Amino acid sequence: MPMPEDGTTMMRPDVIIDVTGNACPVPIMRTLIALNKMKKGQILAVITDHPPSLKSIPEGIGERGHEHVNTEELNGYKKPTWRVLVRKLHE
């Protein structure tokens, strides 16, 4: 996986989903489906190139009681791409 553009230390996610090439609502829907399969405390990394997802994913998971850990821009992709980290806070 490419490194974050700002050089921050990469947190190791438990699950990674790649939703590049998908527009809303697919990224948030796939995020919620993945969270439903995970255990409390696990970290999900969502790879997206759809800028509106940078708002819809943190808002959508927050409304359901989960935590937006951070968002990092990634290098090595043909277009701007980000990694959104989410922590599952409850079953």
Side-chain angles (χ1 to χ4, degrees):
M1 174 184 294
M3 291 298 289
E5 191 169 87
D6 64 5
T8 58
T9 303
M10 300 271 290
M11 178 180 282
R12 185 173 301 279
D14 297 289
V15 177
I16 301 170
I17 60 171
D18 185 341
V19 295
T20 56
N22 290 284
C24 292
V26 173
I28 185 60
M29 290 174 60
R30 290 204 40 214
T31 298
L32 295 173
I33 290 167
L35 283 170
N36 282 335
K37 297 176 182 177
M38 295 170 60
K39 294 179 182 175
K40 179 180 176 182
Q42 287 188 310
I43 301 291
L44 170 65
V46 183
I47 310 301
T48 183
D49 58 1
H50 186 60
S53 294
L54 302 180
K55 182 177 179 186
S56 66
I57 292 173
E59 286 179 356
I61 59 102
E63 290 170 358
R64 289 159 179 85
H66 302 296
E67 176 187 7
H68 171 231
V69 176
N70 78 344
T71 299
E72 302 169 320
E73 188 164 1
L74 302 174
N75 309 356
Y77 289 87
K78 293 180 182 179
K79 60 191 265 188
T81 302
W82 299 268
R83 182 178 83 146
V84 181
L85 292 178
V86 175
R87 184 183 328 271
K88 182 171 181 169
L89 294 181
H90 58 83
E91 294 299 325

